[in-house]
Amino acid sequence: MARLSVNIDHVATLRQARGITFPDPVAAAMIVEIAGAVGVTAHLREDRRHMQDRDIERLRESVQTRLNLEMALTDEMLDITTRIQPDICTPVPEKRAELTTEGGLEVAGNAAHVAKSIERLHGAGVPVSLFIDADENQIRAAADCGSDEIELHTGRFCEVRSGEARERELNTLRRGAELGHALGLRVNAGHGLNYHNVAPVAAIEGMGELNIGHSIIAQAVFVGLAGAVKEMIALIDKASRI
């Protein structure tokens, strides 16, 4: 059954908007764990637009479930990740100008660097989940590079509006998950998922963690963070049992 990992980046976004000390993402992590999330996800960006280094250090000290650190495959971030030792790390593509991650990591065309980075992370005892598009070449390359897991990019599925296009994107995710499992990879998914579109992705056979952030933090404005997490878990659980 699919499970929920909550990305708490935008708690830090709200804090950084005023340059003050609250709301505290570490406090948010405690709340989402108590509410039933099986993991906490945080992205330490190169420009430090939301999460700060100290946030990640404190999260490593306090998270009791599974801390998933999203990061770019740069020397700086590899240094930080091997030092912090999250329960798993998720390398993602990163551009300074983007509002949010725009697509999956290019693994097939950058295999040597990705494989070397994974070897370094494994050497420090850190498992790896590559954030990639549900493309056969990328999935096979992820397995060849030694990734332990993959996170399928669900952005295109979430962005399409017509029923036919959505079903086409959903089938792409289904095929990607099937191939990932066949290659021995744990399969997760995320990006753009919300209360209206999460069910079909949660229902994909063998789906692992769904990494969801913005929609939960936005819903928390109206129902509180614990309530928003519980609402999402209920939707995921219902879809997973179908």
Side-chain angles (χ1 to χ4, degrees), residues 8 25-26 29 42 51 55-63 67:
I8 57 172
V26 176
M51 287 291 171
D55 293 325
I56 304 302
E57 292 168 357
R58 293 172 61 226
L59 286 168
R60 176 62 292 174
E61 294 169 357
S62 60
V63 168
L67 177 61

Side-chain angles (χ1 to χ4, degrees), residues 10-28 55 58:
H10 292 302
V11 176
T13 298
L14 184 57
R15 177 194 62 192
Q16 296 303 112
R18 287 292 183 94
I20 51 180
T21 60
F22 62 89
D24 182 4
V26 176
D55 293 325
R58 293 172 61 226

Side-chain angles (χ1 to χ4, degrees), residues 157 164-177:
F157 165 75
E164 181 179 347
R166 176 162 288 194
E167 189 62 26
R168 183 167 59 249
E169 294 297 338
L170 182 61
N171 284 332
T172 297
L173 292 170
R174 288 172 177 145
R175 288 193 298 270

Side-chain angles (χ1 to χ4, degrees), residues 135-156:
D135 173 84
E136 180 178 352
N137 291 334
Q138 299 299 336
I139 296 169
R140 291 189 182 279
D144 290 341
C145 287
S147 190
D148 305 284
E149 307 181 11
I150 55 174
E151 180 179 341
L152 299 179
H153 174 231
T154 53
R156 279 192 284 275

Side-chain angles (χ1 to χ4, degrees), residues 36 64 67 78 136 143 168 192 201 217 221 225:
Q64 300 298 305
L67 177 61
L78 288 169
E136 180 178 352
R168 183 167 59 249
V201 178
I217 304 306
V221 173
L225 184 53

